[in-house]
Every structure is written in C-alpha cells, then in structure tokens.
Amino acid sequence: MATSPKFPRRLLAGSGAVILAVSLAACSSGEESSGDDTTDSSTASGDIRVGMIASLVPQFEEYAAVFEESNPDINVTVQAVAESPADYTQQLATENLSGSVPDVLFNTGGLNQTLDANGLLWDMSEWLDEGRSGLDSAEFSPNFLGLFEGEDGRITGLPVSADSGVIVYNIEQFEEYGAELPSEDWTYDEMYDAARTIYEGSGGDVFGIVTPLGVAETPFQWYPVIRAYGSDMYDTNAGEFVFANPAGLEAWTTLLEPYTDDFGVPYSTLANDPGKNLFPSEQAAMEVASTARIAALREQMQSEWDVAAMPVIDGTRTTGGGAYSLSIGEKSENKSAAWEFLAWFYSVDGGLEVAKDDGVIPATTDGIENGTWQQNPPAVPANFVPAVQTSIEDAILQQPYPADVAPEVLPALQEAIQLVMLRDESIESAFTAAQDSLNALLK
C-alpha cells in the first residue's frame, strides 16, 4: 500500500463561495446505487467523468491529462457544470433522473448537506479509514474536512482548498477619485466611505463596490456580518432561526446599504448577473471575493489592483470561509477509477504538484500553517500573503442548518431582499417574515 500522501506546502484556490439554493428532493430517485464498485485499486480501469464548474475546467483538463500519463488504463473526461447555484441545481437534477451524474463531482461546504440528503454523494469513510491508495482523512484540516462530514461519520467530500473572504480593489480607481486605500484594520464604515467617494467622484460611472449581499447566494460574503453584529442565522440550542432579531436586522441594514444608498452595484444588475465581470471590467472598484478568485483575476485585470483583509465591525473581522471539494457520485459505476483519480490528485507528487502554480491552498493543517506559498507567492497582488494569513486565521465557517429545511433558507432570504428592493417593504418586516416562514417548517 502506498504511504499516506503529503501535500505540497502551497495555497490552492477554490470556490468556497457556491451554495445550493433549491432542493433536489423531487429529483432523487431513491434507488440504491448500482455502482458498488469494490475493484482492487491496482486494477482500476475504464472511463470516468469529472463534473467541474466552468471556470476551473481548463485547470482540471490539465490535471486529467497528467493523470492519464501515469494511469493509461483510466480515461478522464472533464465535463463543465454551471457556475450559478440555481443552474447547477437544475443540471444535477436532470442528470440524476437520467442516471448520468458525473463520477467525480464538484462540491462545496454549502452544497454538501443537500446533495447528500438527496442521495447524490457516496460515503468515502470506509476507504479513507483503510487508507486505500494512500488517501487518508488524517491529512486534512479538521475544520475544512468537517464541512463534508456528517454526524453519523459519513464523509462525502475531500476539501481541495482552504478558502476565505477578501476584498479585491482597483488601486488606480481609488487614487483617481481620492478614496483612502484599505488599511490592515479598516472598518466596514471605512470600506463604504471609500465606495461612496469613488461612486460620487466618478459621477456615477464607477460603482464603489459590488454590493456584498448580492442576491444572498454566497453566504461567505454576508454571514460573518450577521455574526459580527452579535446575531446568527440559526440557534442550535434554541432550535430556531434567529436572524431577524435586533442585532440581525442591524446587520441586514448594513448589508443592504450599498443598494439603499445607491453607491454599490444595483440590485437589478446583480439579480440578472452574478457580477463577476464588474470588477475586472472596471465597472466596480471593489468586490468581496474568495481567495479562490485571485488566480482568475491575475489573468483578467488590466489596471493595478491589490487584495485586503475583510474589514471589521465592532472589533470582529467579517471574513467568511469555506472550501470546495471533490466527491464521488453515489451512482458512479466506476468508483475505483474515480478513487484513483482522487488519490493521485491529493498526493504531493500528483495533482497538487501540478496545481501548485494555480494558487492552490491545500486544506491541510501543515499546508495552511507552513505552506511555501508564504515564501514564494506570485507578484500580483502584492498584499496576497498578509491578507490571506489574516483571512484564514479569522475565517468564520457557517454551520449547517437542519437538513430538511436547509434548501429553503436562501430562497427565503432572496424573497426578503426582493420585498425590500422591489416593493419598498421595511427590512424588519421582510426579514421577520422570512424568519417566521423558516421556523414554521421546523415544527
């Protein structure tokens, strides 16, 4: 048996920001997997498909090609899946009905609970416990592995990255319009002041910020603000949602401020487009982004730009965290070959060696604390290492909601935002109604 893989000491970018918003319950077949593949790993062969979000397809096509060089009996096809949570949901639902879900699935901490509840993910724990092909759960940071581990011990994903939230900002636009550059301990108010200065100084031609709340699809952007004000989404002790208490309403008011005060990207724009082109196209001067996005921005940005740690509210850093993972589909008929791909990908001389130049941050204790990414970072953005060190240290990882209610949380929040923005309903009324509707589902 191969020894347990050691990870490269480098930071691997991921997409911890994606979360599933719509239930797949109606689409789950309820049938047991026909792919209970127990083939010995040394004889694994055949075809597998890797379902990967479109922005990471080129990287994974490269990884697949290198994998096939040392594993000629396994053919890997990388299939693009949608970036949008709603579109990804629909794609998985359709593929689940037809039995064509990829063998290896893109997954995130936000997606995992719902995907597993609907029978789409295979439990890896038995093969991890035996260290099959050298792949062992002990290598992973418990915080990030825990995003994919259920109370019953099921492990349905292996984290690729230790992702956290940062602010990316256009230095040239800050300087042109007289906004103060971010400091190490800047506040949310200071961030908004800079956004207002840029919007007003440009005569409305440049939005100050891609409004952090967006349409609530990416909790790592807004959940830490709820916590910073002293509230939470769900109180596990009380067994109820609490995000519309006084502290929570204060947080939602802050998050909606770029909309209501007209200095951020408008709600109508983000409701029709995730907004990922606004910052690189210089239509917005700032964006709350995950560390996963840095690698892509290095290729897209033309102006001088940098990255800063998230600002603080009442002394609390508003940094969200998460991870994207690779999972094996429950219905995969070639789990052994899929496992060999994962074992290679997470090994020091395999996929992570190939991926190290993509800005990949291994979600391992050693990789986070001692990674060589700290000694040999890319030149751009200049503040990458200090910002990431702060972000990883302060990252707030959201805990899961009750499984049967989890798919309804984001739609409820999105409806509350719509009521405020499109029907002029008060923040208190809209978010209290959302909270009440979710608590009613718990009874």
Side-chain angles (χ1 to χ4, degrees):
M1 180 178 295
T3 58
S4 182
K6 299 297 180 183
F7 291 67
R9 302 169 185 269
R10 180 143 183 132
L11 201 61
L12 178 61
S15 288
V18 181
I19 186 168
L20 194 61
V22 182
S23 175
L24 292 174
C27 302
S28 178
S29 67
E31 299 176 358
E32 293 187 5
S33 167
S34 60
D36 293 330
D37 178 11
T38 57
T39 305
D40 184 87
S41 60
S42 63
T43 62
S45 62
D47 299 333
I48 60 170
R49 288 180 299 122
V50 175
M52 184 53 52
I53 57 171
S55 62
L56 293 179
V57 163
Q59 294 176 26
F60 272 82
E61 287 178 335
E62 179 185 359
Y63 308 154
V66 177
F67 169 78
E68 289 175 346
E69 290 176 2
S70 56
N71 296 269
D73 293 331
I74 301 176
N75 179 62
V76 181
T77 300
V78 181
Q79 169 189 328
V81 300
E83 299 266 1
S84 161
D87 293 343
Y88 187 43
T89 302
Q90 184 59 50
Q91 182 174 351
L92 286 177
T94 301
E95 291 174 347
N96 192 44
L97 287 172
S98 62
S100 60
V101 173
D103 301 278
V104 177
L105 282 170
F106 170 82
N107 190 8
T108 72
L111 287 165
N112 186 73
Q113 187 179 18
T114 300
L115 293 181
D116 190 33
N118 287 278
L120 290 167
L121 305 180
W122 181 63
D123 178 14
M124 302 179 177
S125 59
E126 182 177 347
W127 285 6
L128 285 169
D129 287 344
E130 68 182 55
R132 182 168 172 140
S133 299
L135 191 53
D136 188 335
S137 60
E139 295 289 342
F140 296 89
S141 168
N143 285 344
F144 288 95
L145 182 63
L147 296 171
F148 307 96
E149 187 171 9
E151 293 181 358
D152 57 359
R154 288 173 55 82
I155 298 177
T156 49
L158 296 177
V160 173
S161 60
D163 291 332
S164 55
V166 292
I167 288 287
V168 291
Y169 63 98
N170 188 311
I171 295 174
E172 294 182 18
Q173 289 176 331
F174 267 69
E175 293 178 343
E176 179 178 357
Y177 301 115
E180 187 172 344
L181 293 173
S183 64
E184 181 179 354
D185 292 315
W186 66 330
T187 66
Y188 229 80
D189 285 341
E190 289 172 332
M191 180 177 73
Y192 279 179
D193 286 344
R196 285 189 183 90
T197 296
I198 291 167
Y199 181 71
E200 294 170 0
S202 70
D205 290 339
V206 178
F207 295 113
I209 190 169
V210 179
T211 304
L213 183 57
V215 292
E217 283 190 340
T218 50
F220 87 91
Q221 293 177 304
W222 49 262
Y223 176 67
V225 176
I226 308 297
R227 290 281 299 276
Y229 274 101
S231 185
D232 209 326
M233 286 296 296
Y234 180 78
D235 185 332
T236 54
N237 292 326
E240 63 181 7
F241 288 91
V242 296
F243 57 82
N245 59 19
L249 293 175
E250 198 174 357
W252 294 118
T253 300
T254 294
L255 287 162
L256 283 160
E257 194 172 328
Y259 287 150
T260 57
D261 283 9
D262 297 323
F263 60 85
V265 174
Y267 172 77
S268 59
T269 301
L270 294 183
N272 295 311
D273 185 309
K276 289 193 174 181
N277 293 320
L278 294 166
F279 177 70
S281 66
E282 302 187 13
Q283 297 175 71
M286 283 185 283
E287 177 190 324
V288 180
S290 78
T291 48
R293 185 146 158 73
I294 302 301
L297 288 174
R298 288 191 183 108
E299 301 297 323
Q300 296 173 321
M301 288 297 295
Q302 301 299 313
S303 297
E304 185 180 4
W305 66 289
D306 209 338
V307 60
M310 289 297 298
V312 299
I313 293 176
D314 294 335
T316 299
R317 183 82 62 183
T318 58
T319 304
Y324 90 87
S325 77
L326 299 181
S327 298
I328 294 179
E330 173 65 26
K331 293 184 179 180
S332 170
E333 296 184 354
N334 200 352
K335 292 185 176 69
S336 287
W339 187 266
E340 289 309 297
F341 178 76
L342 265 60
W344 171 85
F345 179 81
Y346 290 102
S347 66
V348 65
D349 55 353
L352 292 182
E353 172 63 24
V354 181
K356 66 181 182 181
D357 292 332
D358 292 330
V360 174
I361 308 178
T364 65
T365 301
D366 187 54
I368 291 171
E369 294 179 354
N370 304 306
T372 56
W373 59 273
Q374 299 184 51
Q375 288 78 46
N376 187 31
V380 177
N383 195 47
F384 178 74
V385 170
V388 172
Q389 287 173 328
T390 298
S391 296
I392 288 179
E393 180 180 351
D394 294 338
I396 298 172
L397 277 63
Q398 187 172 6
Q399 299 304 305
Y401 309 118
D404 54 345
V405 180
E408 306 302 327
V409 174
L410 291 190
L413 295 179
Q414 289 167 335
E415 182 177 356
I417 297 169
Q418 291 170 1
L419 290 173
V420 173
M421 298 308 304
L422 302 179
R423 299 188 184 178
D424 294 324
E425 191 162 324
S426 71
I427 293 173
E428 180 178 1
S429 173
F431 282 88
T432 298
Q435 177 180 279
D436 290 346
S437 68
L438 291 171
N439 282 331
L441 296 175
L442 295 172
K443 299 175 181 179

